[in-house]
Amino acid sequence: MKKNLKLQILLIFIGAFFYFLANFHRIAIPGAIFDVLQQELKLSAPYITAFGAMFMYIYAFNQLIIGVMVDRFGGMRVMLTGGIVLALGTLLFPLTSNIFIMYFARALLGLGGSMFYLSLIREIRECVSDKNFGIAISVMLFIGYAGGIAANAPFVFVLNYMSWREIILIIAAITLVAVFVFYFVVRKINLPVINKNVKMRSLPFRLVLHKKHNRNLFSFACCNFGISYTIQTIIGKKFLEDFCCMTTSKSAMVLSIMAVIAAIFNIVNASLCKICHNHRVRYLKNASFVTFFSLLIICVCLFFNIRTLFIALIFCVLAGNASLTSILVPVLHLTNRKMFSGTAVSIMNFCFFMMVGFLGTATGFLLNIFKPEHVGNVLVYSEKSYLAVFGVFLLLSLFEMYKAMKLSNKY
C-alpha cells in the first residue's frame, strides 16, 4: 500500500509537469513569438492570433466534459490520454509550415492541455489528507503557473541560441519521455474500475444557468479574466514592442512578471477579501472598477500617443486584478447546491477561455483595420490599430462593471 502511494505521488508530479507544459503552450504561442511567426509564415495578424484562439476554443469546450471524464475513467487515465495528445501536438506544430496543419496541432495542444487540472485535483484528493489538501493544490498550481512564467522571458532568452522550432522539438522529446514514464508507472498501480454509471447529462448545466446570479457572475468573470489573459497570451508583448518601443527581452520580462503576479495574487486576493470580512461580492465589484480605469488610462495614452512604460505597470495591475478564482469558486459553492457546484466551476472555466478565444480572434481583425508599417522585416501596428483593440476591451469592461453591479450579497 505504501509503495502504491509513492507511485501515485510520482504520477501526480508527472501530471503536474504536463500541466506546466500545457500552460507553457497556452502562453508562448503566439504571444512570445508573434513577430517571428509573422516574418516566417508571412501571415497577417488574424492568422497569427488564431494560433492562440484555436488553443483556447478547444480548451474551453473540453472544460464542459472533462469533469465527467474524470469521474468515469479516473484522473490517471485522463492524464495519460492528455499527455499523449499533448505530445502529438507539440511534435507536429514545429515540423510544418502548413497553416492548417499548424492550427490542427494547436487544437491537439488545447485538447491535451485541458485534461490535467481537474484530473490532478481528483488524484490529489485521493492521496492527500484534508489537512494537507490545500498545500498540495497550491504546489500543483504553482508548478502549472511556472509554465506561464517560462513561456515569456526564459523562452525569448533561449531564442538567442536556437530557433523556436528547435526549442519546441526539444520540448516534444521531453514530453514523450514523460508520457512513457507515466505509462510504465501507471501500470504498476491498481486503477479504479471505470464507473459506467457516470454519464453526460444536461440537467446540471440547465439548473446552473437558470440562476440569474450565476449568469451575472459568469459574465463578469469571463470579461475580467478574458481581457487580462488575452493581453498576456496574445497581444501584450507585441503591443509593448510596437507602441511602448520596448525591446523583445524587456517586453517578454514584463509578460513573465504578469504570470508571476497572476500566480501570487490568487492567494493575495483571497487574503485581502478575508481581511475585508469576506465581502466577496463587494470585492468583485471593486475589481470591475480597477479593470475599467486601467483600460481607460491605456486608451488615453493611445489616443494622445503617449508612449510610456507606465503601461507595463498597468498590465501587471490587470494580471493581479484578474486572479480572482480563489474568490469566484467559493461564491459559486455558496450560491449553488453541492451536487451542482462542480458543474458551475466547469461552466465558469469554459467562459474564461472561450472569451480569450473570442478576444484573440477579434484582436487579429482589429489590428488589420489600419495598415501596419514595415520596419525591416517586422510589421509594426499603429496606435490607431491598438486603440481599436483596447477600445473594445474598454467597452467590454463597462459590460463587466454592469454585470458586477447586478451581483447580490444575498446568496
Side-chain angles (χ1 to χ4, degrees):
M1 182 66 72
K2 191 173 181 181
K3 180 183 178 182
N4 205 47
L5 179 61
K6 287 182 178 179
L7 291 176
Q8 284 179 296
I9 292 172
L10 174 60
L11 289 169
I12 287 171
F13 272 105
I14 298 173
F17 176 65
F18 287 143
Y19 185 46
F20 167 95
L21 293 172
N23 278 282
F24 175 89
H25 289 294
R26 193 162 67 188
I27 291 178
I29 298 169
I33 54 172
F34 194 107
D35 281 337
V36 176
L37 289 171
Q38 201 164 48
Q39 292 171 41
E40 188 174 312
L41 301 173
K42 295 178 173 57
L43 297 171
S44 59
Y47 293 97
I48 300 299
T49 58
F51 286 126
M54 183 63 69
F55 186 107
M56 298 300 175
Y57 289 139
I58 303 299
Y59 192 99
F61 274 114
N62 216 33
Q63 295 305 303
L64 298 177
I65 62 172
I66 195 67
V68 176
M69 289 175 61
V70 170
D71 289 339
R72 184 180 175 91
F73 299 105
M76 294 300 181
R77 292 188 181 94
V78 174
M79 280 194 284
L80 177 59
T81 304
I84 293 169
V85 177
L86 189 76
L88 289 174
T90 308
L91 184 62
L92 182 60
F93 188 75
L95 289 178
T96 181
S97 292
N98 183 296
I99 189 67
F100 298 107
I101 298 176
M102 293 180 84
Y103 286 152
F104 176 67
R106 288 295 291 175
L108 288 177
L109 287 166
L111 179 63
S114 67
M115 296 186 186
F116 304 116
Y117 177 74
L118 291 177
S119 299
L120 284 165
I121 290 177
R122 168 67 176 268
E123 294 304 324
I124 291 171
R125 175 78 275 177
E126 296 294 323
C127 296
V128 178
S129 65
D130 290 339
K131 181 180 178 181
N132 297 317
F133 183 60
I135 295 172
I137 291 294
S138 298
V139 172
M140 182 269 286
L141 288 173
F142 179 80
I143 293 171
Y145 278 119
I149 298 167
N152 276 293
F155 183 35
V156 170
F157 175 77
V158 179
L159 283 171
N160 293 320
Y161 303 96
M162 60 182 71
S163 71
W164 70 268
R165 292 181 185 274
E166 291 171 329
I167 296 171
I168 301 299
L169 282 172
I170 291 171
I171 293 172
I174 295 170
T175 308
L176 284 169
V177 170
V179 169
F180 281 116
V181 173
F182 192 99
Y183 171 73
F184 285 113
V185 174
V186 82
R187 292 177 64 190
K188 297 180 182 295
I189 66 171
N190 297 319
L191 293 175
V193 177
I194 295 173
N195 188 350
K196 295 182 180 180
N197 293 323
V198 176
K199 298 178 181 179
M200 193 76 180
R201 297 184 301 128
S202 63
L203 180 61
F205 294 94
R206 285 190 280 116
L207 290 175
V208 169
L209 292 172
H210 180 72
K211 294 188 69 171
K212 190 174 182 180
H213 186 275
N214 285 340
R215 297 198 301 271
N216 288 330
L217 188 69
F218 295 151
S219 298
F220 155 80
C222 74
C223 294
N224 179 270
F225 177 87
I227 292 167
S228 175
Y229 212 67
T230 301
I231 291 171
Q232 189 178 344
T233 62
I234 296 175
I235 197 60
K237 180 175 176 289
K238 176 65 173 167
F239 171 73
L240 291 174
E241 291 169 7
D242 286 0
F243 183 72
C244 298
C245 304
M246 293 181 70
T247 62
T248 296
S249 58
K250 286 182 179 179
S251 58
M253 182 60 70
V254 171
L255 273 293
S256 284
I257 291 170
M258 283 182 71
V260 173
I261 290 171
I264 293 172
F265 261 74
N266 260 310
I267 300 171
V268 171
N269 283 327
S271 301
L272 289 175
C273 189
K274 187 176 181 180
I275 292 170
C276 298
H277 307 289
N278 279 329
H279 292 306
R280 295 184 180 91
V281 169
R282 187 185 303 170
Y283 200 91
L284 297 178
K285 290 178 180 180
N286 290 338
S288 71
F289 284 106
V290 173
T291 303
F292 172 76
F293 284 108
S294 296
L295 292 167
L296 181 62
I297 293 170
I298 294 173
C299 287
V300 168
C301 290
L302 284 163
F303 186 79
F304 291 103
N305 199 21
I306 303 171
R307 299 174 183 262
T308 173
L309 298 180
F310 179 67
I311 291 174
L313 179 61
I314 296 174
F315 279 6
C316 293
V317 170
L318 286 170
N321 189 60
S323 297
L324 298 172
T325 304
S326 55
I327 297 173
L328 291 165
V329 170
V331 170
L332 286 174
H333 279 270
L334 285 168
T335 55
N336 294 276
R337 292 162 62 186
K338 186 176 181 180
M339 66 179 67
F340 301 130
S341 59
T343 301
V345 173
S346 71
I347 293 173
M348 184 176 70
N349 284 340
F350 165 81
C351 293
F352 278 170
F353 295 103
M354 186 56 65
M355 178 58 77
V356 179
F358 285 149
L359 290 180
T361 301
T363 294
F365 287 102
L366 289 168
L367 285 176
N368 259 19
I369 291 176
F370 300 97
K371 189 175 180 180
E373 178 185 356
H374 281 271
V375 178
N377 293 324
V378 177
L379 287 177
V380 176
Y381 295 92
S382 69
E383 66 275 9
K384 292 179 181 179
S385 296
Y386 285 114
L387 184 58
V389 172
F390 282 93
V392 169
F393 291 176
L394 182 64
L395 291 174
L396 199 60
S397 73
L398 282 172
F399 178 72
E400 175 190 328
M401 274 201 301
Y402 170 71
K403 286 297 182 180
M405 293 305 109
K406 286 186 166 291
L407 297 176
S408 173
N409 284 303
K410 296 179 181 179
Y411 302 139

